[in-house]
Amino acid sequence: DAGVIQSPRHEVTEMGQEVTLRCKPISGHDYLFWYRQTMMRGLELLIYFNNNVPIDDSGMPEDRFSAKMPNASFSTLKIQPSEPRDSAVYFCASSLRDRGLRGYTFGSGTRLTVV
Amino acid sequence: AQTVTQSQPEMSVQEAETVTLSCTYDTSESNYYLFWYKQPPSRQMILVIRQEAYKQQNATENRFSVNFQKAAKSFSLKISDSQLGDTAMYFCAFMNHLTAVDSNYQLIWGAGTKLIIKP
């Protein structure tokens, strides 16, 4: 199993540009999570999906952020327009709901820098 | 609301020593799951160990073991014979059993403890 695959690993963009982060979850997993990690705020859950359906997007900071999961093997997190305060590491994680014991499997993250 | 508290922002020990990271949580539920995740400088989040609350026996994974004190709502991680590769952020996380079987399926995270292993 290749694990959770995120791309790109690093992204540097200028303020105002659109940024798209990508995630391929582990095959067979029915949950997908997008997190943001910063020194100041730690790990923040942005949104999560169950069977491709968004369940809770209350963590999405504002309308500039959007996430989609068009099928079970692919999800995107888009920021448009990007701002310097969006600079962070963005993680995707997936999980198979099995009484919760499995926990989550994380991707390697995308380090986003907005200049 | 459930919360997870890691009271040690940073710890530092010599290689080969034993170190214990603390974690406390707050819940009114009786069945739940607890996890320790490790995040080394490579930033990959790695599941280290997990525990089901209804199991009395403390979980162990090689040099990693937990001290689960349900009444005290404490879930500490012990690392024996620490190695340089153990240098990382360590996060404690909680999931309510009921949460795990309905659509609200979220881990509750602590703020993390930065562990430095010195040569």
Side-chain angles (χ1 to χ4, degrees), chain A residues 9 31 33 35 37 45 48 55-56 91 95-97 99-104 106-109 111, chain B residues 33 35 37 39 42-45 47 50-52 54 91 95 97 100-107 109:
Chain A
R9 185 158 172 81
Y31 280 83
F33 305 83
Y35 280 89
Q37 186 179 37
L45 177 64
Y48 73 98
I55 300 299
D56 185 351
F91 285 101
S95 181
L96 176 63
R97 189 176 72 187
R99 300 183 301 120
L101 185 59
R102 295 176 185 266
Y104 301 169
F106 282 80
S108 299
R111 180 177 294 280
Chain B
Y33 308 97
F35 306 85
Y37 279 83
Q39 186 179 34
S42 65
R43 80 172 182 242
Q44 178 76 50
M45 291 280 279
L47 178 61
R50 51 195 160 196
Q51 174 88 38
E52 295 183 70
Y54 69 87
F91 293 93
M95 179 181 288
H97 172 72
V101 297
D102 67 19
S103 63
N104 184 14
Y105 183 65
Q106 294 186 43
L107 279 171
W109 296 88

Side-chain angles (χ1 to χ4, degrees), chain B residues 14 25 33 46 48 50 56-57 59 61-63 66 68-70 74-76 81 89-90 103-104 107-108 110:
Chain B
Q14 295 292 138
Y25 56 92
Y33 308 97
I46 302 164
V48 175
R50 51 195 160 196
Q56 300 272 3
Q57 187 173 4
E61 290 286 343
N62 301 312
R63 297 183 295 107
V66 297
F68 174 46
Q69 301 289 326
K70 191 171 184 179
S74 171
F75 183 61
S76 60
D81 185 26
M89 283 288 290
Y90 287 82
S103 63
N104 184 14
L107 279 171
I108 309 299

Side-chain angles (χ1 to χ4, degrees), chain B residues 3 5 8-9 13 15 20 26 28-30 33 38 44 49 69 71 82 85 94 99 102 107 109 117:
Chain B
T3 57
T5 301
Q8 305 148 311
V13 298
E15 192 176 9
T20 298
D26 186 25
S28 58
E29 301 297 332
S30 60
Y33 308 97
K38 166 185 176 181
Q44 178 76 50
I49 200 165
Q69 301 289 326
S82 59
F94 166 97
T99 294
D102 67 19
L107 279 171
W109 296 88
I117 308 299

